[in-house]
């Protein structure tokens, strides 16, 4: 069955909890950097500024995590074409040197955080 056929039948690829956490991290970085609340970046009808911020978060997930547009779309709850539009707009925005530098720093931050080895948290015992 094709992807379109599966979606028409109500099937969607699962989004892992880890992907949701990573989406949240990308959105938080954008929210902090551009002073747009994460809550404003969610929903169907976004204000223009919140829409651009969400586009940047989609782009950041795509380049920072190395995700395909399909995976980014699923994780953000949008289709692949919308994810592609967000990434094209964000690439164009990188023509501004300040935006380019900010996105470079955020990409590096995502990679540093996500490449950190996982540790087990012990419960009880020594402090």
């Amino acid at each position: 069955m094709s992807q379109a056929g599966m979606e028409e039948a109500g099937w969607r690829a699962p989004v892992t909890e880890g992907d949701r956490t990573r989406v949240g991290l990308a959105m938080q970085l954008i929210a902090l950097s551009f002073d747009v609340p994460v809550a404003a970046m969610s929903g169907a009808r976004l204000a223009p500024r919140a829409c651009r911020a969400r586009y940047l978060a989609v782009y950041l997930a795509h380049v920072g995590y190395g995700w395909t547009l399909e995976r980014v779309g699923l994780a953000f709850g949008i289709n692949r074409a919308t994810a592609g539009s967000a990434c094209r707009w964000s690439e164009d925005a990188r023509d501004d040197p300040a935006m380019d530098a900010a996105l470079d720093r955020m990409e590096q931050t995502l990679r540093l955080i996500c490449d950190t080895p996982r540790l087990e948290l012990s419960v009880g015992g020594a402090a």
Side-chain angles (χ1 to χ4, degrees):
M1 180 179 284
S2 71
Q3 180 71 26
M6 289 186 282
E7 287 182 14
E8 287 174 12
W11 184 88
R12 288 193 70 133
V15 177
T16 68
E17 190 61 33
D19 284 358
R20 284 188 185 92
T21 300
R22 284 176 173 80
V23 163
L25 177 59
M27 290 181 71
Q28 289 289 342
L29 283 173
I30 295 297
L32 181 63
S33 298
F34 295 97
D35 197 28
V36 176
V38 170
M41 290 186 256
S42 301
R45 305 290 285 164
L46 303 180
R49 195 161 179 271
C51 181
R52 297 306 184 204
R54 184 173 172 90
Y55 275 11
L56 289 170
V58 167
Y59 173 76
L60 194 56
H62 175 57
V63 297
Y65 302 135
W67 289 354
T68 64
L69 291 176
E70 184 173 0
R71 184 173 179 186
V72 171
L74 288 169
F76 276 85
I78 57 177
N79 64 43
R80 186 180 61 192
T82 301
S85 294
C87 290
R88 283 188 299 280
W89 179 86
S90 299
E91 277 291 333
D92 289 345
R94 290 192 86 149
D95 289 342
D96 174 4
M99 177 70 79
D100 186 50
L103 288 170
D104 273 344
R105 284 191 304 275
M106 286 183 265
E107 286 174 45
Q108 291 171 6
T109 299
L110 287 180
R111 288 186 186 116
L112 284 170
I113 292 169
C114 292
D115 290 345
T116 300
R118 300 292 169 248
L119 303 172
E120 290 297 320
L121 293 176
S122 60
V123 179

